Amino acid sequence: MKQLAIIFFTILSVQYSLAQKGQITGIIHEKPAVPVSYVTVTLKESGDKAIAAGISDSKGIFRLESIPAGNYTISYSLAGFQTISRPVELKSDEVINMGTVILESDTKLLQEVSVTGQRSSVSLKLDKKVFEVGKDVLSQSGAVTDLLNIVPSVSVSPAGAISLRGNTNVLVLIDGRRTGLTQGNALEQVPADQVERVEVITNPSSRFDAAGSAGIINIILKKNKRAGFSGQLRLVGGIPNETRISPSLNYKSDKLNLFATYGIRLSDYVGLYTMKQSSRLSDTPVYLNQRQDENRHDDAKLLYFGADYKINDHNTITTAFMRNSTHDHDKTELNYLYSNKNGVIDSSLSRNGESWERRSYNQLELNYTKTFIKAGKKLTVDMQYDFWDSDKNWNLTTGRIFPNAATLPMIRTNSMGKSKDFMIKTDMTQPLDSTSTLEFGLKMEDRRVNSDFIAEQQNSAGWEIIEQIDNHLLYKELIGSAYIQFSGKTGALSYQGGLRGELTHIGIEDRSGSYTNEKNYNRLFPTLNISYRFNERATLQGSYSKRINRPRLGMIYPFNELTDLTSRYVGNPNLNPSYANVFEFAFLKNWKNITFNPSFYYQHNTGVMEDYTFRNTDGLFITMPVNINKETRQGFELSVLYNPMKWLQVNTELNAFHYEEQGSYQNQSFDYSGNTFTARVSTQVKLKNKLAFQTLYNFRGANATAQTRADALHSIDIGCSKTFLKDRATLMFDVGNLFGLRKLKGRTIGSDYEISQTSIPNAARYRLTLVYRFNQKDNQTVRQAKSGNRN
């Protein structure tokens, strides 16, 4: 508490406004009222001598400071627009607001720029790496999870797990904040063409939550820029079945922006899982061949609507509501074939399972943004209330086939959960002068999750509890945080340093009293980012941050499903968070046709969470997460974008790293070291008449821990697109996991057992997508909630 109090009183001691001398501010727009960034603002005196110069930010805001009194000419220039010049008289200690400056398009210049100019698809900011998307064929079809597989450093596993540089301890945000769209499989509901850019933040600044030891992936959605009504209709059909209907609508006026999106998704998945197991029971070798065939059907509906209301030039309120509901119906068939060391069949079993699951995630959000006369000064307040519930039932029938046919007792399980989460935070941005800014803020999160689980077996009298699996768990989490950070610039050197304090209280209790536990984590998380810009085409960056990785709820819950006869995954209520210290150096160089981006990084983790597999007294294999001592990672990452011709683009990526783990749990040592790498190659061809083709190859090298070995994994995706009807329509065809190459193969080894597994959760998928837009261009989409402090 003392640590947080220090930060809090430091924040209160900061003055909210500072007297500035000789300052000129304003906002630059293009019609209709769209902010324009990167506009060069120049102040000149007689004789055309430049006195001061600046550039407008992403909100179109500019400011020139420390200007002596006098008569000047101020000009605004940007390629594609007519240069505007106006006289201005500045008195001593005066602050002049130029108001809103409207730039007019220069038709002739625009034509020249459209032929010769192209914005770089990757750039280094002070605390993040930014990837512009939307130009790729594969980023126009499919969902956001498909898009992330194109972004360098990011990968999505066949099961949907998102990782950054091979590390799944990553925090995924949308427009700079947590949202229900990142929960579960909700990202599958968001079309990829709604994304403007993806920010990869391996060393986040202190204004971000400290969660996610691997870093943060921030997905920025496109913003609507057109007045009046606009929207789009998206239709998808696929094999295996993937049917999507996603209409979106937007209305924008000077004061009000209304937005609404509705999505329906019907999807089928075919999975195949095989396992070979050898173990010893009472010194007798036992061999098992297992095969699981899976058919999954998911129905999902997503509704998202809200409004931005501009009270006046300095005050805006945004409110929105989201509901994501799913209904899954899965069927699985498991066959078990037991034999001895000579291959003679001992027995065989068959288990058929059928499950029904309903989930509903709801979110209410409110944002208030206040700007000030002083350019760049901003206050934001965000509130968010989430409430969700889920209900899942399994029916399992088991029969012995050999040596004697028999029907075993039926098993059924039921798990129910619900949660209420509330978050409120406030952030203040205070420019100190033309080159330095102070930011600070407070945040509070309260989360309460209830979960019930019961497993029953049928007998002659009805149903009886299995293994005393009938319990209720209550999880409570309260996180209070505060941060302060300072950023500045001296010539070509930019820097940003910050400190974040987080107080975490966690309470876990169950009905039987087996897991009652309370934990408190009080930590300070410093951050530092330094960037040196040699010129417009070359930037060097160094960064450091301390991070925390809190256990996910699924890793804590001790409940488990009984689908498989031989193995179970069990949560660990005693699991503690891990901490990471991350260092990185990155370089970005742009030539005319090549973008070259190498990075070196080092990560030291303590209290690492690792899966531990053991066999209990009944011969059942149990996997649970445990904490081990430490892990270090040191690696090299290289991304190269090559445009040899206007119609050809090649993007390659390589990430190679060495890792070492140390620690033990019970009698299992986790000491291990190894090397691995990932690679990605994407090629895109753009032909005449807006016809484009793209291929993507992904490779993940073999990797291992003390207990597990995972074989190399690779996959191929292809796609093509055609835009027509004066950019109002786009037709796309893509194939994911071409040839069904994406197969997970691995082994788990213990002192008296070995398990080899192959998992194919998804077959190749063929999709045809049609997008029709009205009052939009092909690079726009319906806007989501106002970004507020989320950019």
Side-chain angles (χ1 to χ4, degrees):
M1 190 68 186
K2 181 179 179 181
Q3 296 168 336
L4 188 60
I6 293 174
I7 300 177
F8 180 74
F9 286 114
T10 302
I11 291 174
L12 293 182
S13 67
V14 177
Q15 295 296 323
Y16 273 68
S17 61
L18 300 173
Q20 303 293 326
K21 295 183 178 180
Q23 181 183 139
I24 299 176
T25 67
I27 302 176
I28 304 174
H29 282 182
E30 64 170 307
K31 292 182 179 180
V34 177
V36 183
S37 56
Y38 306 110
V39 177
T40 300
V41 182
T42 307
L43 190 69
K44 298 180 179 180
E45 61 180 2
S46 58
D48 209 32
K49 179 182 178 182
I51 299 298
I55 298 177
S56 62
D57 62 16
S58 60
K59 304 295 184 182
I61 299 172
F62 72 90
R63 63 178 183 271
L64 306 175
E65 297 180 326
S66 301
I67 303 170
N71 294 307
Y72 304 101
T73 298
I74 187 170
S75 62
Y76 313 89
S77 60
L78 178 66
F81 295 90
Q82 300 177 17
T83 299
I84 297 177
S85 298
R86 295 177 181 173
V88 59
E89 180 182 357
L90 184 67
K91 299 178 181 179
S92 179
D93 299 341
E94 185 179 13
V95 177
I96 296 179
N97 188 344
M98 301 299 294
T100 301
V101 180
I102 304 297
L103 294 184
E104 298 286 346
S105 299
D106 188 318
T107 306
K108 180 179 179 181
L109 193 55
L110 272 177
Q111 292 173 351
E112 294 174 356
V113 171
S114 65
V115 172
T116 62
Q118 184 176 9
R119 185 175 180 179
S120 175
S121 60
V122 56
S123 60
L124 277 181
K125 304 299 183 183
L126 185 57
D127 60 349
K128 58 195 171 188
K129 189 184 297 183
V130 181
F131 298 94
E132 304 293 335
V133 298
K135 299 176 183 178
D136 300 309
V137 174
L138 294 176
S139 68
Q140 299 176 46
S141 59
V144 170
T145 48
D146 301 302
L147 168 65
L148 291 177
N149 254 331
I150 302 175
V151 176
S153 307
V154 182
S155 61
V156 182
S157 73
I162 300 172
S163 61
L164 180 59
R165 288 176 174 166
N167 191 337
T168 57
N169 299 323
V170 60
L171 177 63
V172 181
L173 306 176
I174 291 184
D175 288 333
R177 61 182 293 173
R178 295 186 184 184
T179 170
L181 292 174
T182 64
Q183 303 296 319
N185 63 350
L187 283 178
E188 284 283 345
Q189 284 287 83
V190 182
D193 63 354
Q194 289 196 6
V195 178
E196 176 180 298
R197 66 183 185 274
V198 177
E199 299 175 346
V200 176
I201 313 173
T202 51
N203 267 340
S205 65
S206 61
R207 68 185 177 92
F208 289 101
D209 291 341
S213 58
I216 292 174
I217 299 172
N218 188 23
I219 302 167
I220 305 297
L221 300 179
K222 294 177 181 176
K223 312 298 187 293
N224 179 61
K225 297 182 178 181
R226 286 180 173 262
F229 283 100
S230 60
Q232 73 173 30
L233 175 64
R234 182 184 183 88
L235 304 174
V236 180
I239 301 174
N241 174 48
E242 181 169 4
T243 303
R244 298 173 185 257
I245 304 174
S246 303
S248 300
L249 187 65
N250 196 103
Y251 172 76
K252 183 177 178 62
S253 65
D254 292 339
K255 287 282 188 179
L256 186 66
N257 178 43
L258 301 174
F259 50 90
T261 298
Y262 183 69
I264 298 175
R265 175 174 61 89
L266 311 175
S267 301
D268 290 328
Y269 303 88
V270 178
L272 174 62
Y273 309 85
T274 60
M275 180 183 71
K276 292 183 177 181
Q277 181 187 117
S278 61
S279 59
R280 301 182 66 88
L281 290 174
S282 301
D283 295 326
T284 301
V286 177
Y287 299 90
L288 168 64
N289 283 347
Q290 178 180 323
R291 176 188 173 107
Q292 178 181 356
D293 292 277
E294 182 182 59
N295 287 281
R296 310 190 309 274
H297 177 75
D298 298 347
D299 294 345
K301 296 179 181 179
L302 175 69
L303 174 64
Y304 187 52
F305 65 90
D308 304 323
Y309 178 66
K310 185 178 180 180
I311 302 173
N312 51 45
D313 289 342
H314 294 291
N315 295 274
T316 304
I317 292 178
T318 296
T319 183
F321 172 75
M322 187 203 74
R323 177 180 175 85
N324 182 40
S325 59
T326 61
H327 181 199
D328 302 343
H329 183 197
D330 301 342
K331 294 181 180 180
T332 184
E333 179 181 352
L334 297 99
N335 293 287
Y336 305 84
L337 189 65
Y338 294 89
S339 62
N340 59 27
K341 63 179 181 179
N342 298 319
V344 178
I345 297 176
D346 177 74
S347 62
S348 63
L349 298 170
S350 177
R351 167 169 282 187
N352 290 286
E354 190 170 7
S355 70
W356 299 263
E357 182 176 13
R358 293 181 181 271
R359 296 185 299 268
S360 174
Y361 190 102
N362 305 274
Q363 181 182 88
L364 287 166
E365 57 180 294
L366 177 67
N367 169 265
Y368 167 71
T369 300
K370 179 178 178 60
T371 59
F372 299 82
I373 295 178
K374 179 179 177 61
K377 183 177 180 180
K378 182 173 68 174
L379 170 69
T380 60
V381 179
D382 277 281
M383 288 187 290
Q384 184 174 303
Y385 177 62
D386 304 340
F387 53 100
W388 59 262
D389 59 81
S390 64
D391 186 356
K392 186 173 185 177
N393 295 277
W394 269 104
N395 287 344
L396 302 167
T397 59
T398 309
R400 185 171 64 242
I401 301 173
F402 181 83
N404 299 313
T407 300
L408 302 181
M410 183 177 178
I411 294 175
R412 68 183 185 187
T413 64
N414 173 254
S415 58
M416 299 179 63
K418 60 181 180 179
S419 172
K420 295 181 179 180
D421 309 334
F422 177 75
M423 182 278 295
I424 182 170
K425 71 171 185 174
T426 179
D427 298 86
M428 184 73 184
T429 302
Q430 172 66 66
L432 303 179
D433 54 39
S434 59
T435 60
S436 59
T437 302
L438 188 68
E439 297 178 69
F440 45 89
L442 298 169
K443 182 178 181 180
M444 188 276 289
E445 297 177 86
D446 181 69
R447 186 179 199 186
R448 295 175 181 269
V449 184
N450 288 273
S451 181
D452 288 275
F453 190 85
I454 186 172
E456 299 173 292
Q457 179 175 285
Q458 195 173 27
N459 58 28
S460 58
W463 295 89
E464 62 180 349
I465 304 298
I466 302 176
E467 302 174 17
Q468 298 181 336
I469 302 177
D470 180 13
N471 208 346
H472 170 84
L473 194 74
L474 173 62
Y475 176 86
K476 297 181 291 184
E477 180 181 80
L478 179 65
I479 303 176
S481 58
Y483 77 91
I484 183 169
Q485 73 178 22
F486 174 81
S487 60
K489 184 176 181 180
T490 302
L493 181 67
S494 299
Y495 50 90
Q496 182 186 78
L499 183 65
R500 185 179 188 90
E502 292 190 355
L503 305 180
T504 304
H505 174 76
I506 292 177
I508 303 174
E509 59 185 68
D510 69 334
R511 185 166 50 224
S512 64
S514 304
Y515 308 107
T516 301
N517 197 358
E518 289 196 3
K519 301 178 182 179
N520 294 283
Y521 316 129
N522 306 326
R523 293 290 189 277
L524 292 176
F525 300 93
T527 64
L528 177 65
N529 294 274
I530 300 175
S531 177
Y532 185 84
R533 189 177 185 184
F534 297 97
N535 50 54
E536 292 183 357
R537 294 182 175 271
T539 304
L540 179 65
Q541 188 181 83
S543 59
Y544 162 76
S545 69
K546 184 174 182 178
R547 314 287 297 160
I548 183 174
N549 180 38
R550 298 183 178 89
R552 300 185 302 274
L553 289 178
M555 302 173 70
I556 295 175
Y557 283 176
F559 309 141
N560 54 83
E561 293 181 344
L562 310 183
T563 312
D564 192 352
L565 281 169
T566 64
S567 62
R568 297 177 189 173
Y569 182 89
V570 180
N572 181 4
N574 296 317
L575 204 61
N576 292 315
S578 64
Y579 297 90
N581 288 280
V582 186
F583 301 84
E584 180 174 357
F585 289 95
F587 178 71
L588 179 67
K589 174 66 176 179
N590 288 304
W591 288 277
K592 182 178 180 181
N593 297 321
I594 299 178
T595 298
F596 180 70
N597 179 212
S599 302
F600 296 89
Y601 59 91
Y602 174 82
Q603 187 176 86
H604 182 269
N605 304 280
T606 58
V608 177
M609 288 173 277
E610 187 70 78
D611 280 347
Y612 167 55
T613 300
F614 65 96
R615 193 175 59 174
N616 65 13
T617 55
D618 297 325
L620 188 67
F621 288 93
I622 305 295
T623 300
M624 63 181 290
V626 298
N627 292 108
I628 63 174
N629 186 23
K630 66 178 182 178
E631 179 196 57
T632 59
R633 291 192 180 201
Q634 46 197 350
F636 169 74
E637 185 177 55
L638 175 64
S639 177
V640 179
L641 179 65
Y642 180 44
N643 287 96
M645 304 176 185
K646 293 181 181 179
W647 52 270
L648 177 63
Q649 182 184 86
V650 180
N651 193 348
T652 61
E653 174 198 348
L654 173 68
N655 175 31
F657 61 92
H658 173 78
Y659 59 96
E660 294 184 15
E661 291 186 347
Q662 292 184 9
S664 62
Y665 184 82
Q666 295 185 355
N667 296 324
Q668 174 66 50
S669 171
F670 284 91
D671 292 355
Y672 191 84
S673 64
N675 303 287
T676 189
F677 72 97
T678 61
R680 179 179 298 156
V681 179
S682 174
T683 303
Q684 183 166 221
V685 178
K686 293 185 178 181
L687 305 178
K688 294 181 179 180
N689 301 319
K690 296 198 173 181
L691 179 65
F693 298 88
Q694 185 176 9
T695 61
L696 173 68
Y697 173 74
N698 272 295
F699 177 84
R700 188 200 69 188
N703 61 85
T705 66
Q707 279 196 302
T708 63
R709 308 285 190 275
D711 293 350
L713 176 69
H714 57 117
S715 63
I716 298 175
D717 301 324
I718 63 172
C720 61
S721 69
K722 167 67 176 175
T723 299
F724 53 100
L725 294 180
K726 298 181 179 180
D727 294 346
R728 291 195 298 270
T730 300
L731 184 65
M732 293 160 283
F733 174 75
D734 72 288
V735 183
N737 191 21
L738 184 65
F739 308 125
L741 298 176
R742 193 175 294 144
K743 299 178 181 179
L744 297 170
K745 295 182 178 181
R747 300 188 309 278
T748 302
I749 301 174
S751 59
D752 60 349
Y753 68 85
E754 180 174 336
I755 303 172
S756 298
Q757 294 174 301
T758 299
S759 301
I760 310 175
N762 298 313
R765 187 173 294 275
Y766 304 83
R767 286 183 301 208
L768 186 65
T769 303
L770 175 65
V771 178
Y772 182 80
R773 314 168 188 85
F774 62 95
N775 198 24
Q776 286 186 339
K777 297 181 180 180
D778 64 344
N779 62 347
Q780 293 178 337
T781 189
V782 170
R783 145 172 195 178
Q784 302 298 313
K786 177 176 168 43
S787 56
N789 63 331
R790 305 164 207 164
N791 281 349

